[in-house]
Amino acid sequence: METLSSAQLRDVVSSELGLPVPDQLPDRELGGVEKAPELFAKEYFLYNLLRKVEPFSRKEEVPASVLRTSLKAFADAEHNCRVMNRCGRYYSVVDAKLNSLFTEASRLARVLISRWLSDFWPDWEEARFTGGASRLSSRRFSLPALKLAGFSEKGQLSITTPALPYYRYYRTGITAEDRGYTIVDDSRFDFVAKTAKTVRFIAMEPELNMLLQKAVGDTIRAALRKAGIDLNTQRLNQDLAYHGSVFRNLGTVDLSNASDTLSIELVRQYLPKRFLRYVLDLRTPYTSVGGKKHRLEKVASMGNGFIFELQSLIYAAFAHAMTLVVGGRECDIAIYGDDIIVSGCVVEPLMQFLEWHGFCPNLDKSYWGNDPFRESCGKHYFAGRDVTPVYVKGKLDNLPALFRLFNSLKRWEEQTGVRIPDTISLVLSYIPKRDRVLVPRSYSITAGLHFPAKGCVFPRTVYVRRYQRLVRKGRFMTEAQVDISSRLDDEVRYIDWLRNPPVALLPLEVWRHITYRPSHHGLPRERKSYRGVGSPEASSVWSSFEDWGEMA
């Protein structure tokens, strides 16, 4: 298969849109007047298309300048946490009015956190492993089943000494033999690519610590959900971002290195003693950098099992407290990690309050006031128009990557109204004709070409029970998934979609001869007359499905 180069894709898109590729974030105004949404959508699309392409395929190829820049950001975050741990505040407030504002907001935040967490206790017996990489296992060998059996890539599972009492309580209801554990006091320092110019440093925590951290994180998540903050969905943040781009009454706040600037002293001040003990006992106090141990001033880096829920809890308390003090509307608040949305009048006081606690508001990605642009949880809006860009994050030399790009470009066309047929045709030309397979939109973005699409084939597929998936000409049509039950459900839906194809896929002469087409969702409970199938065949058609159960 030929590789679609990034330079060729960039040149075709730039030529078709009639604009040069900008080297910085496009301005939202042109000559003092707000830009047209279509023009901004084009410029924003060009700016972001290749911004996250990884110039390196292996970690050994990361340029020293990229690592140096990212390490400096990590060191700056550690400095902020060190100041907080020593002084209790990142800076002193001279203005008496602002000092009283912050004092009252701090008191309210402590009250809210105590109230939200008061009825919730971690269920250690229900703790669960995840498939993420850990201290002694790479991502490839991090299957939850292996961890549950007590295996890691390098032998036994690891745990810190303060976490042992919690692990013993977890083991009380387990009859399987304990294969033992290795006592450690540090995490494995690593990084993942963020953009073409930066990387994000993460901590690979000990396996058993992650197990227990996840139980604490699930408890905080449940408490926040009862308080009206659902971390299982991003829909509220995205809807409010759209609302703010239209009416300009809401602001979005973004933080730089959010989890890296959550200091130990901050959680001492705001968490109840019970949860503070969980956090301090289950965190890893050191991380190994270049063969040397470094004592962490922060609670934890990304990779910790409860850091996402913990920072969401802190930011939610700060947003609600500042809204009550300043006078905004609590119904305008939405929190998902470090994506914060509040009323417009609360944005600046909240940013000052966050900075007072050692956090770093990202002014380049925070939007409020009369700015027509809003961004939150992966959705980007300009004056009510969805301008969410398309990102190319790797080499375009395989089918999943090309499927992802093709479907993303089609979706961008629909949401912005800007047509790019030449670019889409270019991507399609690099997909072999035999692999241009149409799939329903409910399928994964990398499973095939989402219907409708021109120049594609409508495949003949059969369900092979041995492989538990759809097969065409010896090729697997669906992605390998862990959850077999959901995969079967998707494939039954796909078979029904093949048996009752959309009108656009049928030849006109065939469609004209169809006099009756049963309208039903999924498989009928009783036998029905199928199109083109006589009564003898109808029984065999139904019998082939009867042991699959009813399709939702």
Side-chain angles (χ1 to χ4, degrees), residues 199 275 307 347 359:
V199 296
F275 272 85
I307 191 64
V347 172
F359 297 106

Side-chain angles (χ1 to χ4, degrees), residues 156-167:
Q156 295 177 328
L157 303 180
S158 57
I159 189 174
T160 58
T161 301
L164 282 175
Y166 304 94
Y167 176 64

Side-chain angles (χ1 to χ4, degrees), residues 40-236:
F40 180 82
K42 294 178 182 179
E43 295 178 344
Y44 196 60
F45 172 77
L46 284 170
Y47 171 72
N48 286 284
L49 181 62
L50 302 178
R51 190 168 64 90
K52 294 189 177 183
V53 173
E54 298 180 17
F56 41 86
S57 58
R58 295 182 302 171
K59 293 182 178 180
E60 294 79 7
E61 300 174 359
V62 179
S65 58
V66 173
L67 287 177
R68 193 178 300 112
T69 302
S70 301
L71 275 174
K72 183 180 182 302
F74 179 83
D76 291 342
E78 280 289 280
H79 170 74
N80 289 10
C81 292
R82 186 178 298 110
V83 173
M84 274 292 299
N85 293 336
R86 302 297 185 274
C87 306
R89 295 289 180 269
Y90 186 63
Y91 65 85
S92 300
V93 179
V94 178
D95 187 1
K97 183 178 180 180
L98 191 60
N99 187 35
S100 63
L101 179 72
F102 286 177
T103 302
E104 179 62 16
S106 299
R107 185 189 68 82
L108 288 174
R110 279 190 289 269
V111 171
L112 289 171
I113 292 176
S114 297
R115 182 186 303 169
W116 293 341
L117 298 178
S118 60
D119 296 333
F120 291 86
W121 296 75
D123 190 352
W124 306 112
E125 296 179 354
E126 295 296 326
R128 53 193 173 89
F129 286 104
T130 64
S134 57
R135 188 184 185 278
L136 299 180
S137 296
S138 62
R139 183 64 181 269
R140 182 180 178 184
F141 295 94
S142 289
L143 293 175
L146 290 177
K147 295 178 182 178
L148 187 61
F151 293 94
S152 70
E153 185 177 356
K154 298 181 180 180
Q156 295 177 328
L157 303 180
S158 57
I159 189 174
T160 58
T161 301
L164 282 175
Y166 304 94
Y167 176 64
R168 294 192 182 106
Y169 189 82
Y170 162 76
R171 290 287 309 179
T172 53
I174 300 178
T175 57
E177 180 184 358
D178 188 359
R179 296 191 67 255
Y181 43 78
T182 302
I183 301 295
V184 298
D185 63 352
D186 64 336
S187 59
R188 178 164 59 91
F189 195 65
D190 207 344
F191 63 87
V192 293
K194 185 177 181 181
T195 66
K197 299 180 180 179
T198 58
V199 296
R200 175 185 285 118
F201 289 104
I202 57 177
M204 304 298 185
E205 298 280 324
E207 292 78 15
L208 297 178
N209 281 59
M210 292 180 66
L211 169 74
L212 302 168
Q213 290 165 3
K214 193 63 180 174
V216 176
D218 290 343
T219 305
I220 299 176
R221 186 179 291 254
L224 287 175
R225 187 172 186 179
K226 184 178 180 181
I229 302 167
D230 190 357
L231 298 181
N232 296 324
T233 177
Q234 303 175 354
R235 183 63 182 270
L236 179 60

